[in-house]
Amino acid sequence: MVLLPPCSPDICGKDFRSSLKKPSPNYPHKTRKCRIVPAFTIQSMQKNTKVLPPPKCGVFDPLPPKPTMFRRCYQRGEFPVCIEFTTSGKRLAWKVPIEKLDFHHYLPMFFDGLAEGTYPFNFIVEHGVHDLVTKGSFKVLPVVPQIIIPIKNALATKRPTVLCHALKCIQMLVTGCDRVGEALVPYYRQILPTLNLFKDRNRNMGSGIDHTTTRGENVADLIEDTLQILERYGGPDAFINIKYMIPTYESCVLN
């Protein structure tokens, strides 16, 4: 009786046939793939599926800068102003007396430039609004309805530099002109929604020091100061209207 050597499992027998049935990593169609499906659907409960995460709302994301009417008018030379360089620094030089200007035309144009964040437009807007408010305060009150939309557009950009610039101009407008604070009360619904969004937007730095507060560039602190100024100069109906739009605001007069 002759004994034959045992067959190798790699060459013959059941082991050889089973080795052919094993999936090879060289064949990608043999592997299972997960389908990406939207959330809150019937497909999300099926096997071999992966739920697509919801997109971010981006409520705090700044809007991209857009050219304003102020920039186009300045580039065409329609404003009677120029930047004058002196030994003490830069200042805004007016070619005509400010008292003779048409505030119904120029003041809304300057407030439209609040959305600008680059030089020289931001410099001209800041100093131009200051000069118009300080030297022509008696002409500002009739123009208040025309500057609401430019202020709203500037705050809607959500850029920190533009927000700080716009808030400082609002403070200057309310404190420098008579009865303008009371005239702004009916327009709180257009101005205050963005302030409610950034009112508590402070950075938690632990034991560090936030130097933007000392430089007047902290958006949350400027919003709080602006709301207090609006309440002081807005008359008896200012607080209830601010509280309606910003529920977390606490009165600085009643308390």
Side-chain angles (χ1 to χ4, degrees):
M1 183 176 179
V2 179
L3 297 177
L4 297 176
C7 295
S8 174
D10 298 334
I11 299 176
C12 60
K14 185 178 180 181
D15 296 336
F16 176 72
R17 290 191 297 271
S18 62
S19 64
L20 294 177
K21 296 180 181 180
K22 292 181 180 180
S24 174
N26 298 327
Y27 298 93
H29 62 277
K30 294 290 184 179
T31 59
R32 292 181 178 180
K33 292 184 178 181
C34 293
R35 293 183 296 114
I36 299 179
V37 297
F40 308 107
T41 59
I42 299 299
Q43 296 177 348
S44 62
M45 295 184 290
Q46 298 175 354
K47 295 182 180 181
N48 301 327
T49 58
K50 184 178 180 181
V51 178
L52 183 67
K56 296 182 179 180
C57 63
V59 66
F60 295 105
D61 295 341
L63 298 180
K66 298 180 181 179
T68 60
M69 182 63 68
F70 174 83
R71 173 179 292 197
R72 290 192 289 267
C73 293
Y74 177 75
Q75 291 174 346
R76 290 197 296 259
E78 297 183 6
F79 293 112
V81 295
C82 63
I83 300 178
E84 185 177 7
F85 295 88
T86 62
T87 55
S88 58
K90 295 177 291 186
R91 69 182 186 90
L92 199 64
W94 293 84
K95 301 177 183 178
V96 295
I98 296 179
E99 294 79 7
K100 296 182 180 180
L101 292 176
D102 184 8
F103 274 55
H104 287 273
H105 174 71
Y106 287 105
L107 191 62
M109 296 293 290
F110 272 90
F111 271 89
D112 183 71
L114 291 176
E116 296 287 348
T118 57
Y119 181 85
F121 307 107
N122 54 357
F123 177 84
I124 296 174
V125 168
E126 182 177 1
H127 290 75
V129 170
H130 178 269
D131 293 344
L132 290 173
V133 169
T134 53
K135 298 181 181 180
S137 58
F138 57 95
K139 291 186 176 182
V140 174
L141 183 59
V143 197
V144 169
Q146 297 179 244
I147 64 177
I148 300 301
I149 297 300
I151 292 176
K152 178 183 176 182
N153 295 335
L155 296 176
T157 59
K158 301 177 184 178
R159 298 198 298 270
T161 55
V162 175
L163 288 176
C164 295
H165 191 191
L167 292 173
K168 291 178 182 178
C169 288
I170 293 175
Q171 295 178 12
M172 189 189 313
L173 185 70
V174 174
T175 57
C177 304
D178 295 335
R179 302 185 64 183
V180 171
E182 299 178 8
L184 288 176
V185 174
Y187 304 101
Y188 281 174
R189 294 192 178 187
Q190 284 79 24
I191 299 175
L192 299 186
T194 306
L195 305 189
N196 184 30
L197 194 64
F198 289 89
K199 180 177 180 294
D200 300 321
R201 190 73 172 173
N202 278 318
R203 292 183 295 177
N204 186 4
M205 304 183 64
S207 60
I209 299 175
D210 188 5
H211 294 283
T212 58
T213 304
T214 58
R215 296 196 301 263
E217 299 175 357
N218 189 285
V219 177
D221 292 346
L222 281 175
I223 289 175
E224 186 68 26
D225 296 341
T226 304
L227 294 177
Q228 292 179 4
I229 291 174
L230 290 176
E231 182 186 1
R232 292 193 186 100
Y233 290 85
D237 298 331
F239 172 69
I240 189 64
N241 286 275
I242 295 175
K243 191 71 174 179
Y244 179 79
M245 298 302 301
I246 306 178
T248 58
Y249 174 73
E250 296 295 337
S251 175
C252 64
V253 177
L254 301 179
N255 296 333

